[in-house]
């Protein structure tokens, strides 16, 4: 499976003047990625001939009111880049035939009600440029397989589950274009590696950004992701590097299914009152029990000092720990405003001393947002602890069991929910030679805690986080 990391960036022309990046291709065949720029206020299009991040020349194209460029491809097989345009208020699509940077004529593409072209590429490897569409009404996607400007086939992409295609490029370098996707829910960028058998890959998080295209801006043979910062207007080519993750078999090293009382000599029950003022719960060992084949971590009103609720947590501090591997838990989060459940990895050094940061959290669900699972990695920054967090929005995690998984290997962390990859990270600040233990627990937010919230009159106690099983793997 492929994973990606960023190694640098190249600044591109900003969108502050109203010009948006609408396509990327080498129009003058000099080996550099050029930009198609569109100004919606003026209905104007221009081509910016580039040398890395430097604009060498701008060429204005004829004004096209009601139409905007969205993609590029060679549709008449003359070895020259053409431009795909779509209606700004409708479902029309067409190709602008180009002779280098000179507009020649247009030819209409198929029309599908509620659908607009969003990307182009040779998806079936027959030598013809195909068109990816997005249906804004049904929120589904697909590929028109083309011969010139005539549709001859169809590839369904309805399994993208609300992800919006914005461009196509061969990020995986397997000879087939990959759909670059945007998740409007959590503002993350993803790649549908269409021809490698891999799942949808989540690209490293870039705050406040939206993907707008891709091209090889530093001419290293690897396609780079171009993003627009929705706050500052900056456009950046984020230089990518691809690594193929070890595909060796995962071997199960430890499993606890809670069919009988958990082996407490191997697990550590949490006990005591935390010092953090934003938490209104303390850890009571008796609140961690096994019943009916589940680990039960119960929260209930019970005063201890300045804390008003007892909660529970356990970890493998007395048992199984490892440096790299895969950890998986099937669990149901506790319900109720102001309560939360988590599953994460905590580190120890060679002497068994706790080290924080780092920390890897792969399940964190708060009762006030029961459809949100927050996935986080904490590392040590130059000015203190820093974190990279992504929220996956799914179904209600407090009403049913779900499987949460994290894979940590040198240079790569991958988070999964129910077997689907939802986040990747390539942190460089995690020290080597650490041993990780898995921790599972519950807690209650104090008044003023904006992350967990605090209980209100609707919160029903006791409330319980249930765990069906825990599995720990290593590579073969």
């Amino acid at each position: 499976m492929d994973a990606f990391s960023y190694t640098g960036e190249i600044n591109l022309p900003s969108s502050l003047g109203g010009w948006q990046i609408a396509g990327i291709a080498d129009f003058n065949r000099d080996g550099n990625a050029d930009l198609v720029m569109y100004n919606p206020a003026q209905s104007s299009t221009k081509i910016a001939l580039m040398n890395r991040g430097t604009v060498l020349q701008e060429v204005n194209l004829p004004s096209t009111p009601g139409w905007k460029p969205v993609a590029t491809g060679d549709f008449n097989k003359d070895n020259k880049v053409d431009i795909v345009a779509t209606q700004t208020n409708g479902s029309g699509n067409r190709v602008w035939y180009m002779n280098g940077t000179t507009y020649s004529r247009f030819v209409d593409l198929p029309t599908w009600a509620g659908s607009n072209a969003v990307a182009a590429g040779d998806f079936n490897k027959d030598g013809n440029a195909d068109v990816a569409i997005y249906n804004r009404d049904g929120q589904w996607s697909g590929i028109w397989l083309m011969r010139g400007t005539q549709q001859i086939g169809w590839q369904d992409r309805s399994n993208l589950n609300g992800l919006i295609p914005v461009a196509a490029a061969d990020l995986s370098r397997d000879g087939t274009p990959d759909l670059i996707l945007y998740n409007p829910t959590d503002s993350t960028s993803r790649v549908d590696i269409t021809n490698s058998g891999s799942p949808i890959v989540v690209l490293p998080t870039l705050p406040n950004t939206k993907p707008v295209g891709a091209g090889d801006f530093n001419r290293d043979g690897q396609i780079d992701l171009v993003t627009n910062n929705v706050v500052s207007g900056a456009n950046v080519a984020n230089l990518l590097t691809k690594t193929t993750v070890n595909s060796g078999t995962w071997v199960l090293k430890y499993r606890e299914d809670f069919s009988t009382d958990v082996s407490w000599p191997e697990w550590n029950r949490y006990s005591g009152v935390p010092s953090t003022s934003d938490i209104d719960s303390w850890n009571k060992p008796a609140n961690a029990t096994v019943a009916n084949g589940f680990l039960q971590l119960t929260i209930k009103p019970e005063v201890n000092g300045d804390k008003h609720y007892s909660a529970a947590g356990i970890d493998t501090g007395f048992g199984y720990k490892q440096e790299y591997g895969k950890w998986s838990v099937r669990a149901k989060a506790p319900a109720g405003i102001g309560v939360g459940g988590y599953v994460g990895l905590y580190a120890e050094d060679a002497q068994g001393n706790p080290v924080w940061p780092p920390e890897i959290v792969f399940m964190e669900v708060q009762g006030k947002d029961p459809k949100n699972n927050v996935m986080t990695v904490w590392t040590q920054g130059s000015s203190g602890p820093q974190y990279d967090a992504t929220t996956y929005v799914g179904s209600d995690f407090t009403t049913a069991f779900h499987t949460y998984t994290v894979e940590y290997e040198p240079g790569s962390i991958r988070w999964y929910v129910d077997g689907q990859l939802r986040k990747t990270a390539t942190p460089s600040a995690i020290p080597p030679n650490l041993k990780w233990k898995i921790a599972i627990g519950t807690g209650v937010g104090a008044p003023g805690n904006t992350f967990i919230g605090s209980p209100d009159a609707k919160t029903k106690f006791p409330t319980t986080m249930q765990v069906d099983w825990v599995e720990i793997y290593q590579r073969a």
Side-chain angles (χ1 to χ4, degrees):
M1 186 178 70
D2 294 326
F4 297 89
S5 60
Y6 298 127
T7 61
E9 61 183 39
I10 294 176
N11 292 321
L12 301 175
S14 171
S15 295
L16 289 180
W19 290 94
Q20 305 170 355
I21 295 177
I24 299 170
D26 183 6
F27 282 87
N28 59 349
R29 302 172 69 176
D30 67 348
N32 289 292
D34 305 314
L35 304 176
V36 180
M37 307 289 290
Y38 172 68
N39 190 313
Q42 302 174 9
S43 297
S44 298
T45 302
K46 64 183 179 182
I47 296 173
L49 300 178
M50 307 292 294
N51 180 6
R52 291 177 172 256
T54 302
V55 178
L56 302 179
Q57 182 184 356
E58 292 183 347
V59 180
N60 293 315
L61 299 183
S63 179
T64 55
W67 293 86
K68 65 177 181 178
V70 293
T72 59
D74 181 7
F75 283 83
N76 57 352
K77 302 176 77 169
D78 64 352
N79 295 318
K80 296 176 182 178
V81 178
D82 306 311
I83 297 175
V84 179
T86 192
Q87 280 185 303
T88 54
N89 293 295
S91 301
N93 304 284
R94 59 181 45 164
V95 172
W96 297 343
Y97 284 129
M98 303 291 295
N99 183 8
T101 58
T102 302
Y103 170 82
S104 176
R105 60 190 176 94
F106 74 83
V107 176
D108 284 327
L109 293 173
T111 298
W112 195 329
S115 300
N116 294 95
V118 291
D122 184 6
F123 289 92
N124 60 346
K125 302 177 73 171
D126 67 350
N128 292 284
D130 307 309
V131 178
I133 66 168
Y134 176 70
N135 186 284
R136 58 186 179 276
D137 298 327
Q139 297 185 347
W140 49 261
S141 304
I143 309 293
W144 285 338
L145 302 177
M146 307 293 293
R147 183 168 295 145
T149 56
Q150 301 299 311
Q151 182 188 355
I152 62 170
W154 169 257
Q155 287 184 1
D156 182 62
R157 290 290 189 275
S158 59
N159 62 343
L160 297 180
N161 297 321
L163 301 176
I164 301 174
V166 297
D170 187 13
L171 270 69
S172 59
R173 300 170 69 176
D174 64 356
T176 302
D178 311 311
L179 282 178
I180 299 170
L181 310 168
Y182 176 64
N183 188 338
T185 302
D186 60 12
S187 300
T188 56
S189 302
R190 307 175 186 223
V191 181
D192 178 16
I193 302 181
T194 57
N195 207 37
S196 68
S198 298
I200 293 175
V201 175
V202 183
L203 295 175
T205 303
L206 296 167
N208 303 318
T209 63
K210 179 179 179 179
V212 294
D216 183 7
F217 284 85
N218 60 343
R219 301 181 65 171
D220 65 348
Q222 172 64 58
I223 301 296
D224 307 310
L225 181 71
V226 177
T227 56
N228 171 253
N229 189 299
V230 297
V231 176
S232 68
N235 291 311
V236 172
N238 303 278
L239 306 181
L240 281 172
T241 184
K242 187 196 82 167
T243 57
T244 300
V245 177
N246 186 345
S247 58
T249 304
W250 286 113
V251 177
L252 182 65
K253 293 295 185 179
Y254 175 85
R255 176 179 169 88
E256 175 59 67
D257 61 8
F258 305 107
S259 57
T260 58
D261 198 10
V262 69
S263 177
W264 294 115
E266 188 161 300
W267 289 79
N268 169 45
R269 296 194 202 192
Y270 290 169
S271 178
V273 179
S275 59
T276 51
S277 61
D278 61 344
I279 298 297
D280 196 19
S281 57
W282 57 285
N283 291 306
K284 184 176 181 180
N287 285 18
T289 60
V290 171
N292 303 316
F294 300 108
L295 171 66
Q296 315 272 353
L297 301 176
T298 301
I299 306 170
K300 57 187 177 181
E302 191 170 8
V303 175
N304 186 348
D306 63 346
K307 309 299 182 183
H308 297 87
Y309 303 89
S310 61
I314 64 173
D315 65 36
T316 54
F318 299 149
Y320 201 89
K321 291 173 279 189
Q322 61 189 26
E323 183 174 5
Y324 298 109
K326 171 182 174 180
W327 295 259
S328 192
V329 173
R330 185 172 185 264
K332 181 167 67 174
I337 294 175
V339 306
Y342 67 91
V343 182
L345 303 179
Y346 290 89
E348 295 179 355
D349 62 19
Q351 289 72 44
N353 301 311
V355 178
W356 192 93
E359 175 187 353
I360 301 171
V361 179
F362 56 105
M363 180 272 202
E364 192 162 19
V365 176
Q366 316 303 338
K368 68 183 181 68
D369 297 307
K371 295 183 178 181
N372 292 357
N373 179 42
V374 183
M375 301 164 289
T376 309
V377 55
W378 284 87
T379 56
Q380 183 65 42
S382 58
S383 58
Q386 60 187 14
Y387 66 91
D388 170 9
T390 297
T391 299
Y392 166 65
V393 181
S395 56
D396 190 332
F397 295 111
T398 68
T399 60
F401 282 89
H402 294 269
T403 301
Y404 307 89
T405 303
V406 67
E407 296 172 352
Y408 175 41
E409 299 185 278
S412 178
I413 307 175
R414 300 175 296 279
W415 289 255
Y416 301 81
V417 178
D418 295 327
Q420 296 298 310
L421 184 65
R422 299 301 181 187
K423 175 180 173 65
T424 61
T426 54
S428 59
I430 295 181
N433 304 317
L434 297 177
K435 298 292 186 180
W436 296 85
K437 61 183 179 182
I438 188 170
I440 308 170
T442 57
V444 179
N449 186 319
T450 57
F451 183 60
I452 304 177
S454 58
D456 61 14
K458 297 180 180 179
T459 307
K460 296 181 180 179
F461 293 101
T463 184
T464 300
M465 177 176 175
Q466 293 182 300
V467 181
D468 188 6
W469 47 257
V470 176
E471 294 179 341
I472 304 175
Y473 297 78
Q474 288 183 345
R475 287 287 190 191

